[in-house]
Amino acid sequence: MELTVSLAQHTYTILIQKGALQTVGDWAAALWQPQKIVLVTDENVSSLYSEQVQNSLIAAGFHVTIAAVPAGETSKSLEMATWLYDTFAEAGLTRSDGVIILGGGVVGDLGAFAASTYMRGIHFLQIPTSLVAQVDSSIGGKTAVNTQTAKNLVGTFTQPDGVLIDPLVLNTLPLRRVREGIAEIIKTAAIADTTLWSQLADLKDEADLLRHSEAIIYACCEVKRRVVEQDPFDHQERLTLNFGHTIGHALENTAGYGEIAHGEGVALGMIQISRNAEKRGEITAGLTQQLTEMIQKFHLPTEHHLNKETLYQALTHDKKARGNQIKIILVPEIGRAIIQPIPLEMMRDYIEE
């Protein structure tokens, strides 16, 4: 399965195919001339796949250096980006060389950020290995690192030259990581795809979803492709992809990065903002229950106990804030999302129980 993302100044293809990782060298050689490459990964993924990928790339004519960062959200930092810059320089990367990113959302965001800012930007490819990255974060060109103030506060919009998705790598994921990817799939269905929502409703559990991973990943990528093409820089429609993320990111930050996983924060955020919007009569009655039942089905959290004022202070740094306003995303009915600007102070109403 293939999808093409067509933007005004850049076009690239998303390849979704079981077993595709075995042919990564041929895939990269079809996109790039032989050159120096730094393969950015994390220590967990590296132990599973980096040798295989490196050998395939070398056989295709590339010179490869592996840069493995510690696994986990805390690696998505300016300090780790600086370490990558030094690694790129030591590997002799010039503006004619590239970066290939092998890993989940943390490595995908970090590696792409480092590539997009090293020497004012060098090209890169994404090989996402987590479900979150395969259905969402590896596509669309958002790069970022976290700071102590907020998640994804520093970043760029820089598109990859290609994305290779091999659903078979999901078989090595811990169940918690599968579940947080499912949160992003639920989000995608809720905002834009009633057919996908029906498919999720028919699934028995996480294992059943993985059996249908190729088609489900394709459906999510198709939604994201369409939205990114219409709004590449996150000014309007692309914001709908952030359903659940405003509160979710604040939860991640407030709890301490890694304590609440990204997908867990998104699940909690979707429920909380919908619960309070439903109380205010802004969305269809019963919508929150639909979301809650779907989220519970895949064993994601539905309640949190973090301090509301601390949570509010964290979300005031959200990138959707403009001056004293913030744009929140609501789902009035399954398959449709709306963008609603509100005064920032009013966000308190959406984080009350």
Side-chain angles (χ1 to χ4, degrees), residues 73 130-132 135 175-185 252 260-266 298 300:
E73 189 76 25
S130 73
L131 190 54
V132 168
V135 301
L175 188 55
R176 185 184 183 192
R177 300 306 169 198
V178 173
R179 287 170 177 161
E180 67 167 325
I182 293 173
E184 289 286 1
I185 296 170
E252 285 183 78
I260 293 178
H262 173 69
E264 294 165 352
V266 170
F298 294 104
L300 285 152

Side-chain angles (χ1 to χ4, degrees), residues 190-211:
I191 66 171
D193 194 333
T194 55
T195 300
L196 179 58
W197 185 270
S198 297
Q199 288 176 314
L200 293 176
D202 290 339
L203 296 173
K204 294 178 183 177
D205 52 23
E206 297 90 336
D208 198 15
L209 184 143
L210 289 179
R211 282 191 286 271

Side-chain angles (χ1 to χ4, degrees), residues 15-36:
L15 172 64
I16 306 165
Q17 182 180 311
K18 290 182 177 179
L21 198 63
Q22 297 176 12
T23 60
V24 65
D26 293 338
W27 172 72
L31 296 170
W32 290 349
Q33 295 295 316
Q35 60 194 259
K36 298 186 191 76

Side-chain angles (χ1 to χ4, degrees), residues 30-206:
L31 296 170
W32 290 349
Q33 295 295 316
Q35 60 194 259
K36 298 186 191 76
I37 288 173
V38 171
L39 181 66
V40 177
T41 185
D42 72 37
E43 291 168 354
N44 291 346
V45 174
S46 182
S47 66
L48 294 167
Y49 302 117
S50 64
E51 183 177 357
Q52 172 191 343
V53 171
Q54 182 183 38
N55 290 341
S56 183
L57 290 167
I58 290 171
F62 297 99
H63 184 278
V64 184
T65 300
I66 296 173
V69 304
E73 189 76 25
T74 54
S75 281
K76 213 168 99 170
S77 66
L78 287 167
E79 291 78 14
M80 196 57 67
T82 299
W83 179 80
L84 285 178
Y85 298 144
D86 292 340
T87 303
F88 295 170
E90 289 168 8
L93 294 197
T94 68
R95 296 189 72 182
S96 299
D97 299 309
V99 170
I100 295 181
I101 302 148
L102 175 71
V106 169
V107 169
D109 281 2
L110 169 68
F113 173 76
S116 70
T117 48
Y118 177 76
M119 291 189 170
R120 297 189 175 93
I122 60 175
H123 54 212
F124 62 93
L125 300 171
Q126 290 275 16
I127 307 176
T129 60
S130 73
L131 190 54
V132 168
Q134 291 187 351
V135 301
D136 184 55
S137 60
S138 68
I139 304 148
K142 280 187 178 181
T143 86
V145 293
N146 306 329
T147 71
Q148 290 185 345
T149 302
K151 184 178 172 71
N152 297 334
L153 193 64
V154 181
T156 68
F157 285 97
T158 311
Q159 302 293 335
D161 281 356
V163 181
L164 182 148
I165 296 173
D166 183 350
L168 290 182
V169 302
L170 301 176
N171 294 330
T172 60
L173 277 186
L175 188 55
R176 185 184 183 192
R177 300 306 169 198
V178 173
R179 287 170 177 161
E180 67 167 325
I182 293 173
E184 289 286 1
I185 296 170
I186 293 170
K187 174 213 73 178
T188 301
I191 66 171
D193 194 333
T194 55
T195 300
L196 179 58
W197 185 270
S198 297
Q199 288 176 314
L200 293 176
D202 290 339
L203 296 173
K204 294 178 183 177
D205 52 23
E206 297 90 336

Side-chain angles (χ1 to χ4, degrees), residues 206-339:
E206 297 90 336
D208 198 15
L209 184 143
L210 289 179
R211 282 191 286 271
H212 297 85
S213 57
E214 214 167 42
I216 289 170
I217 292 167
Y218 182 91
C220 292
C221 290
E222 171 59 23
V223 169
K224 186 145 192 188
R225 177 202 63 79
R226 184 174 69 246
V227 172
V228 168
E229 286 182 350
Q230 293 174 359
D231 179 22
F233 296 110
D234 223 5
H235 293 308
Q236 195 61 27
E237 185 174 355
R238 187 169 177 176
L239 291 173
T240 61
L241 295 169
N242 288 319
F243 176 48
H245 285 59
T246 295
I247 292 174
H249 283 171
L251 285 165
E252 285 183 78
N253 186 12
T254 302
Y257 293 129
E259 294 299 316
I260 293 178
H262 173 69
E264 294 165 352
V266 170
L268 291 165
M270 288 191 290
I271 289 174
Q272 186 155 355
I273 204 162
S274 297
R275 178 190 296 139
N276 290 294
E278 191 170 331
K279 287 178 183 176
R280 299 168 61 86
E282 296 169 333
I283 64 174
T284 305
L287 189 284
T288 308
Q289 186 61 29
Q290 283 183 273
L291 276 171
T292 301
E293 289 175 359
M294 186 69 82
I295 286 166
Q296 287 176 330
K297 175 180 181 176
F298 294 104
H299 306 98
L300 285 152
T302 58
E303 299 290 342
H304 70 85
H305 305 285
L306 294 175
N307 181 274
K308 293 167 189 172
E309 183 57 31
T310 305
L311 196 60
Y312 172 75
Q313 291 302 322
L315 62 81
T316 60
H317 298 287
D318 192 277
K319 299 180 299 302
K320 293 176 288 301
R322 301 289 188 274
N324 292 320
Q325 278 203 332
I326 190 168
K327 292 179 178 178
I328 62 171
I329 313 304
L330 301 178
V331 170
E333 58 188 0
I334 296 299
R336 183 169 69 91
I338 59 173
I339 302 165

